Amino acid sequence: MLKILIPTFMLFPTIWLVPGKWLWTATTAHSLVVASASLSWFKWCSETGWVAPNLYLALDPLSFPLAVLACWLVPLMIIASQNHVAHEPLTRQRTYISLLVSLQVFLILAFSAMDILTFYVMFEATLIPTLIIITRWGSQTERLSAGTYFMFYTLLGSLPLLVALLYLLNDTGTLSMHTLQYIQMTNPDTLGTMLWWVACLLAFLVKMPLYGVHLWLPKAHVEAPVAGSMVLAAVLLKLGGYGMMRMMVVLGPLTKEMAYPFIILALWGIIMTGSICLRQTDLKSLIAYSSVSHMGLVASGILIQTPWGFTGAIILMVAHGLASSALFCLANTSYERTHSRTMLLTRGLQMILPLMAAWWFLANLANLALPPLPNLMGELMIIVSVFNWSSWTILLTGLGTLITASYSLHLFLTTQRGPTPQHFISMDPSHTREHLLMALHLIPLLLLVLKPELMWGWCF
Amino acid sequence: MANYREAPLASRPKTLDPAEYFNLSLDKRRSVEEKATLRAQLKRQYQMQLNNPLRKELIEDPALTRWVYARTNPFNNFRPTKKTSLLGGLFGVLPLFVLYFVLKTDRVCTSKARLAKYRHTSSWV
């Protein structure tokens, strides 16, 4: 663990002390080395449930795929932001990369936290760099309202969580995940306990996001610069799912009764947000709503508390992180050339940028859960486990799969096929950097097809 | 305005046709002339931007900007009418209750059936 954390902390001196000419090369190389070192976490060499370097940080099969994803994403974010930040003064560039690296630090600490309060502090801490990235480096004036929505929606959920955690600490005497698995819930039928149950989960449901409280996500994703969108879609949403899976341990038998409204919101949200996707005119907004749709599936998989549900949730989280981040990078390549996110204005790009069309095709296939990609593995496991929970849900999840396929196809056909607009005068060819970025997103996804045991969680 | 000249991109509006010109009132004539002037100026501005060899960026279309802004901020233009309330209730509120009813009944029935099955089989042991 320390062999990843200390080099990550050392990224800060790298960023600030490297001469300006070598800034991007050095930070990309350093973060790639850290990401490759984090792959050592895949070797599960412990007989116990946790790989624990010390009392406060440990990894288990749930957290290390997400921690590896967090580490993997930072070099990708740095590669993706190179173009639009390159024209700014050097100090500002260093600040930008420092914000991205601080996100990585907070995320690794969050995923490996053994104490739920540590996890909570890191969960909140990730909000601040993201807010700064969105409001300072976004491109439109709407970024201010996007930042406001992002902060206040998440805080609305997480302040009750703090109260609930402090109550649990007072009641149990510890918040360490090692011991919390053995506690019993004391009064499952009182209103107070029910409110405590909601307070525990609300923050993570807002973060996932659940359908009813998802309004912050399209705004934040659209207004953020590409690195902000990538990290939001790939990892920060998964913090919500991870938090829910950890909290389920203490939430006891009450979940069987109280989870119904949230499962229903999640399932109905798949269909509603999928349908909204079909009507979107803004490219990034479409990808953002598709994130909500996939996360609705994850939320329903977690809330039914079965082994297959949890496994499907983890797989879908990791696979969706890579696929969604890839789509945001592609949207950014289009945006940097045409300076417009309107889909009608960025049509027919296959004629102009045919190699990028190949990446668009792959990323869209990943998004619509094509076999044998892990997106399908996750979706199938969740759909089957939710079907076991209640047979009627197959109508919702099946329709949701259909709608997912149709909006992914719509996205691909609108951006790539069709008539090319006449108003493009100068369009850069696809940079090698962009091809590298897409390759680094999709190759792990393809490799995970061959060995999905790496991210199956506890159930292999 | 009898000497209104046609240009390649500024066609003659119908009301300024000399054959019909003298049927119009003075006010109508003036308003049509003003509109034709504005239209010609806009066209000229667009043509200047379009054919500028040093231009690298998109020509900004204010109508498109307004349309995109309206698509991204639907709440500002939202007003609860009968139709919107009906649609919102039908697709946003009613399905939640219907689904709760359906799923809860299905779960309760299947769990009762499973319990009954186990009770039945265990009686033969």
Side-chain angles (χ1 to χ4, degrees):
Chain A
M1 170 70 69
L2 279 181
K3 67 177 178 285
I4 313 292
L5 264 182
I6 292 188
T8 311
F9 280 119
M10 284 296 125
L11 258 171
F12 288 111
T14 306
I15 295 169
W16 287 97
L17 298 176
V18 153
K21 198 169 60 152
W22 292 101
L23 174 65
W24 292 95
T25 321
T27 46
T28 315
H30 189 149
S31 50
L32 264 176
V33 167
V34 172
S36 319
S38 75
L39 294 176
S40 68
W41 280 329
F42 279 132
K43 185 164 162 37
W44 186 252
C45 43
S46 163
E47 291 299 320
T48 64
W50 303 86
V51 175
N54 59 29
L55 287 173
Y56 311 107
L57 299 175
L59 287 174
D60 82 330
L62 167 58
S63 48
F64 78 70
L66 296 169
V68 172
L69 185 64
C71 293
W72 184 248
L73 217 72
V74 174
L76 266 48
M77 286 197 280
I78 299 179
I79 296 175
S81 334
Q82 211 171 322
N83 197 8
H84 76 93
V85 183
H87 301 295
E88 301 197 359
L90 193 61
T91 319
R92 225 175 279 166
Q93 294 181 21
R94 294 193 207 260
T95 318
Y96 187 76
I97 309 180
S98 311
L99 285 169
L100 299 181
V101 171
S102 64
L103 264 175
Q104 181 185 357
V105 171
F106 292 140
L107 284 168
I108 298 180
L109 288 175
F111 286 125
S112 53
M114 279 317 300
D115 193 291
I116 298 193
L117 209 49
T118 315
F119 172 70
Y120 174 77
V121 171
M122 292 302 141
F123 177 82
E124 295 298 301
T126 55
L127 290 180
I128 299 172
T130 320
L131 178 70
I132 300 178
I133 292 177
I134 295 178
T135 48
R136 171 64 186 80
W137 274 278
S139 332
Q140 271 79 32
T141 37
E142 285 91 12
R143 68 185 188 270
L144 300 170
S145 95
T148 314
Y149 264 72
F150 172 62
M151 279 302 274
F152 283 105
Y153 263 78
T154 318
L155 286 176
L156 173 83
S158 55
L159 285 176
L161 175 63
L162 180 63
V163 172
L165 285 179
L166 291 175
Y167 170 76
L168 186 61
L169 177 64
N170 200 19
D171 201 35
T172 334
T174 175
L175 278 181
S176 167
M177 290 184 208
H178 296 294
T179 37
L180 275 183
Q181 10 179 359
Y182 301 111
I183 68 161
Q184 308 286 335
M185 188 186 279
T186 40
N187 293 319
D189 293 324
T190 56
L191 178 64
T193 318
M194 293 192 197
L195 285 176
W196 174 81
W197 187 94
V198 176
C200 279
L201 277 191
L202 189 62
F204 305 118
L205 290 170
V206 170
K207 193 79 173 174
M208 283 224 66
L210 189 68
Y211 173 57
V213 288
H214 69 286
L215 277 180
W216 63 271
L217 185 130
K219 289 189 193 297
H221 272 105
V222 168
E223 303 305 329
V226 62
S229 291
M230 285 166 73
V231 76
L232 263 173
V235 197
L236 289 179
L237 301 189
K238 286 47 180 182
L239 266 180
Y242 174 76
M244 270 169 73
M245 287 203 229
R246 291 292 188 215
M247 290 305 289
M248 282 297 175
V249 172
V250 309
L251 291 175
L254 196 51
T255 314
K256 280 206 293 253
E257 294 305 315
M258 291 216 51
Y260 279 89
F262 301 107
I263 302 180
I264 288 166
L265 270 174
L267 289 172
W268 186 240
I270 304 174
I271 298 184
M272 290 302 285
T273 49
S275 318
I276 295 177
C277 275
L278 284 170
R279 292 283 303 165
Q280 281 300 317
T281 52
D282 183 329
L283 186 56
K284 279 176 90 163
S285 195
L286 195 152
I287 308 174
Y289 274 109
S290 86
S291 283
V292 180
S293 179
H294 288 289
M295 285 297 115
L297 210 50
V298 171
S300 55
I302 297 176
L303 283 168
I304 58 178
Q305 292 183 298
T306 56
W308 271 37
F310 268 37
T311 310
I314 309 172
I315 301 181
L316 189 55
M317 286 203 287
V318 172
H320 170 261
L322 289 169
S324 201
S325 181
L327 277 171
F328 275 115
C329 291
L330 285 169
N332 184 54
T333 62
S334 181
Y335 180 72
E336 280 175 3
R337 285 170 175 76
T338 56
H339 293 290
S340 161
R341 286 195 298 263
T342 316
M343 277 165 69
L344 281 175
L345 293 183
T346 53
R347 287 189 297 175
L349 293 175
Q350 189 174 8
M351 278 288 118
I352 314 178
L353 303 169
L355 285 179
M356 209 40 91
W359 292 120
W360 270 103
F361 188 51
L362 267 182
N364 275 308
L365 289 180
N367 201 23
L368 65 83
L370 187 81
L373 294 172
N375 303 67
L376 179 77
M377 290 182 212
E379 281 195 15
L380 264 185
M381 295 191 84
I382 296 180
I383 291 179
V384 167
S385 57
V386 173
F387 177 68
N388 180 39
W389 183 78
S390 165
S391 315
W392 290 92
T393 55
I394 194 75
L395 294 170
L396 298 168
T397 47
L399 188 61
T401 316
L402 192 64
I403 298 182
T404 306
S406 58
Y407 69 65
S408 295
L409 193 64
H410 166 67
L411 175 60
F412 177 67
L413 291 178
T414 313
T415 51
Q416 303 305 117
R417 302 283 164 88
T420 313
Q422 304 292 328
H423 63 263
F424 294 147
I425 350 176
S426 72
M427 230 185 195
D428 297 343
S430 305
H431 303 287
T432 316
R433 175 184 59 88
E434 292 164 352
H435 287 300
L436 174 69
L437 187 62
M438 295 312 304
L440 284 177
H441 272 110
L442 294 177
I443 288 180
L445 206 57
L446 295 172
L447 287 175
L448 279 173
V449 172
L450 300 174
K451 198 173 169 68
E453 294 98 60
L454 295 175
M455 45 168 194
W456 268 357
W458 308 277
C459 309
F460 58 86
Chain B
M1 248 322 247
N3 49 357
Y4 179 86
R5 274 203 319 266
E6 276 195 4
L9 291 169
S11 54
R12 180 190 294 273
K14 204 122 164 278
T15 37
L16 292 182
D17 191 354
E20 302 187 20
Y21 188 71
F22 295 102
N23 291 339
L24 299 172
S25 63
L26 219 60
D27 285 329
K28 180 104 170 84
R29 211 184 286 173
R30 206 176 310 138
S31 72
V32 173
E33 283 168 12
E34 275 169 10
K35 265 194 223 160
T37 324
L38 281 171
R39 210 169 129 239
Q41 279 173 351
L42 277 173
K43 274 193 177 171
R44 180 170 194 274
Q45 187 189 19
Y46 179 72
Q47 285 293 327
M48 292 286 281
Q49 280 180 297
L50 188 67
N51 298 319
N52 180 9
L54 300 172
R55 172 179 71 96
K56 281 207 292 266
E57 64 276 343
L58 282 179
I59 301 179
E60 192 214 332
D61 182 359
L64 188 68
T65 318
R66 280 197 298 268
W67 182 76
V68 169
Y69 181 80
R71 289 293 298 207
T72 38
N73 299 301
F75 185 64
N76 297 343
N77 306 318
F78 176 75
R79 199 170 31 102
T81 61
K82 283 208 194 97
K83 178 179 164 199
T84 57
S85 310
L86 182 69
L87 282 175
L90 200 61
F91 284 101
V93 178
L94 185 66
L96 303 178
F97 290 102
V98 165
L99 277 172
Y100 180 79
F101 176 68
V102 166
L103 293 179
K104 192 93 169 103
T105 325
D106 181 54
R107 292 268 299 163
V108 164
C109 284
T110 43
S111 61
K112 277 205 193 113
R114 276 187 201 146
L115 272 174
K117 189 175 74 165
Y118 290 135
R119 221 170 279 137
H120 178 78
T121 53
S122 69
S123 71
W124 287 90
V125 170

